[in-house]
Amino acid sequence: MAIRTAITRRITSSSSSSILFNSRSMSSWWGNVQPAPKDPILGVTEAFLADPSPDKVNVGVGAYRDDNGKPVVLDCVREAERRVAGNLNMEYLPMGGSNKMVEETLKLAYGEDSDLIKDKRIAAIQALSGTGACRIFADFQKRFSPDSQIYIPAPTWSNHHNIWRDANVPQRTFHYYHPESKGLDFASLMDDVKNAPNGSFFLLHACAHNPTGVDPTVEQWKEISYQFKVKGHFAFFDMAYQGFASGDPERDAKSIRIFLEDGHLIGCSQSYAKNMGLYGQRVGCLSLVCEDEKQAVAVKSQLQQLARPMYSNPPVHGALIVSTILGDPDLKQLWLKEVKGMADRIIGMRTSLRENIEKLGSPLSWEHITNQIGMFCYSGMTPEQVDRLTKEFHIYMTRNGRISMAGVTSGNVEYLAKAIHEVTKAA
């Protein structure tokens, strides 16, 4: 009995020690994890929502709002939803997504009568909006050009850096924005293109550059394309605002068309978040121009292989909405009318904001507000001036001075102008 009791005590003690060890081991698995820094854009919205002031204004978020500051669902989207609801399909899409959606999307970027489409020289898959398209391309670049790096404009959408960083692609920046003129630093941009090693990868914004709203002119795009040809560079276009920039999808695709006319084999990311208001549907497309059909088949197979372990296959609903709209002539015309309406409201708010600041007697030039294009205005305000806007006037934007023009309305533009004038008049 004494021996049995002693053995039992040892077993119990051993088990307790084991449980204690395992408990300590498990509790320490994530003990070294620190809170991630807040996203500079999403953090603005969080602060805005927490502010009880009735005068608060949010010009930080990159999502369209109507003149009452309300989110918008386009009529063409509502009609497409009605049609889709009558023919529900919850089956998996292929790894490459909806063929119909991809076909219609390529026409927007490359042209209705594109020979590249006819000759099946474009490898393309449905992606999780523009972010997903960029990420799959970044992984594709790393896998098939492992020693390459990516040249990214300074500044750019902050998530671009995250995407290529997490794909383990080394990054360099090239000159783009000129702070003094609040326009394009074209000379420095061209110098960087010329000085980059032959065959470098460059990320370009097709239109409505985020965050600056500064785009090259048609003639400047032609010079950029020519120099890319001389150096053998690869151009990857992120086109998040086609149609939303000028109101004309053809005009907004001009940069891409120039490169195609010069014979470049480009890559392109497309998104329907802004131009169809499908923010939450996460629907987009990644495409790469190839030498021939055989190469396009091989490249598409590899893009699909990259997608497989990430999310297996893309969601179906947003793709059905897009293909329904673009595949029906009447709905497509309605979309073209509505996207022009959104662009025109933004352009009108640019004019109104500039006029309201100027009539207050500002000593500064504000012509860049109307010279820039798209959803954002790179105001030129300093982080300290932005902090004052938030603290004294309850106006929220990112600290780099980027104003989301979608948040400017006829009801708040005068208040916004007065606040901007107040914090900048002594500059």
Side-chain angles (χ1 to χ4, degrees):
M1 177 68 77
I3 294 173
R4 187 162 40 196
T5 302
I7 292 172
T8 301
R9 284 173 179 165
R10 282 197 209 100
I11 292 172
T12 303
S13 175
S14 176
S15 298
S16 298
S17 297
S18 177
I19 292 170
L20 182 60
F21 173 77
N22 287 336
S23 175
R24 285 173 179 169
S25 176
M26 286 187 288
S27 67
S28 66
W29 285 349
W30 313 119
N32 64 334
V33 177
Q34 300 298 315
K38 285 190 174 183
D39 184 281
I41 299 171
L42 301 182
V44 171
T45 299
E46 291 178 9
F48 169 79
L49 292 174
D51 188 342
S53 171
D55 299 323
K56 64 182 180 179
V57 176
N58 186 1
V59 285
V61 67
Y64 182 75
R65 298 290 183 262
D66 65 15
D67 199 45
N68 295 312
K70 302 298 183 183
V72 173
V73 178
L74 301 182
D75 289 339
C76 63
V77 171
R78 292 185 186 278
E79 174 58 21
E81 282 273 13
R82 187 188 67 78
R83 297 185 191 183
V84 168
N87 187 27
L88 283 178
N89 180 0
M90 299 298 180
E91 294 297 307
Y92 287 126
L93 284 173
M95 282 189 291
S98 163
N99 290 330
K100 179 64 175 174
M101 191 282 292
V102 169
E103 289 170 8
E104 295 296 338
T105 301
L106 293 182
K107 292 176 187 176
L108 280 181
Y110 297 93
E112 286 279 345
D113 300 317
S114 169
D115 288 335
L116 294 170
I117 296 175
K118 293 175 184 176
D119 296 339
K120 300 181 180 179
R121 287 179 53 196
I122 305 175
I125 63 170
Q126 181 183 335
L128 302 184
S129 203
T131 301
C134 286
R135 179 56 195 268
I136 292 176
F137 175 76
D139 281 334
F140 182 83
Q141 178 186 347
K142 183 63 178 179
R143 179 168 294 182
F144 294 100
S145 187
D147 297 325
S148 66
Q149 56 190 354
I150 186 78
Y151 281 80
I152 294 178
T156 192
W157 178 48
S158 59
N159 212 24
H160 281 147
H161 293 291
N162 300 332
I163 290 165
W164 268 269
R165 178 201 66 211
D166 282 5
N168 295 308
V169 176
Q171 300 176 38
R172 300 285 298 274
T173 58
F174 65 92
H175 287 87
Y176 190 87
Y177 180 72
H178 192 265
E180 285 72 31
S181 68
K182 300 178 180 64
L184 184 67
D185 190 353
F186 185 65
S188 297
L189 183 158
M190 291 299 288
D191 284 342
D192 288 345
V193 170
K194 293 172 184 177
N195 293 329
N198 290 352
S200 293
F201 287 77
F202 276 75
L203 169 66
L204 303 174
H205 296 230
C207 62
H209 180 274
N210 179 3
T212 69
V214 173
D215 287 349
T217 65
V218 169
E219 290 305 314
Q220 287 171 333
W221 275 122
K222 289 179 179 178
E223 290 188 51
I224 294 169
S225 174
Y226 172 78
Q227 195 58 48
F228 267 56
K229 195 79 171 179
V230 170
K231 296 287 293 185
H233 294 330
F234 181 86
F236 183 75
F237 286 93
D238 188 358
M239 184 159 61
Y241 297 94
Q242 187 180 9
F244 195 94
S246 69
D248 179 1
E250 287 294 298
R251 177 180 171 184
D252 292 345
K254 186 64 177 177
S255 58
I256 288 175
R257 306 292 173 77
I258 288 170
F259 271 68
L260 295 176
E261 288 166 8
D262 286 347
H264 291 278
L265 302 182
I266 68 164
C268 183
S269 160
Q270 291 169 264
S271 165
Y272 290 102
K274 307 298 191 299
N275 59 12
M276 281 191 186
L278 300 178
Y279 302 99
Q281 295 296 336
R282 312 310 296 148
V283 56
C285 181
L286 168 64
S287 58
L288 295 173
V289 178
C290 301
E291 293 282 359
D292 51 35
E293 182 180 355
K294 181 180 179 181
Q295 187 181 89
V297 170
V299 169
K300 180 177 178 179
S301 72
Q302 293 293 346
L303 296 177
Q304 291 178 151
Q305 284 297 106
L306 286 166
R308 175 65 168 156
M310 284 190 194
Y311 53 82
S312 200
N313 54 303
V316 65
H317 192 72
L320 285 172
I321 294 172
V322 172
S323 59
T324 300
I325 292 171
L326 297 181
D328 181 280
D330 292 335
L331 276 184
K332 185 175 181 180
Q333 283 304 310
L334 177 57
W335 170 65
L336 291 171
K337 177 183 176 182
E338 291 186 288
V339 76
K340 186 177 188 306
M342 290 191 290
D344 286 349
R345 193 189 87 74
I346 296 264
I347 292 168
M349 285 298 99
R350 286 183 178 277
T351 300
S352 183
L353 179 60
R354 176 182 171 181
E355 289 176 349
N356 272 277
I357 296 175
E358 289 176 342
K359 75 180 182 182
L360 292 169
S362 174
L364 306 174
S365 170
W366 295 97
E367 64 178 13
H368 59 282
I369 295 178
T370 50
N371 288 342
Q372 296 169 7
I373 192 170
M375 181 171 283
F376 302 111
C377 167
Y378 216 48
S379 67
M381 287 186 287
T382 66
E384 293 73 25
Q385 290 169 336
V386 171
D387 290 344
R388 279 192 64 196
L389 283 179
T390 301
K391 184 177 180 180
E392 298 176 26
F393 301 96
H394 306 276
I395 294 170
Y396 292 83
M397 67 180 73
T398 51
R399 295 187 78 237
N400 61 5
R402 187 193 79 166
I403 298 172
S404 174
M405 294 305 301
V408 184
T409 69
S410 56
N412 66 27
V413 65
E414 186 175 350
Y415 177 74
L416 177 62
K418 287 180 180 178
I420 291 173
H421 175 62
E422 187 63 33
V423 302
T424 60
K425 63 184 180 181

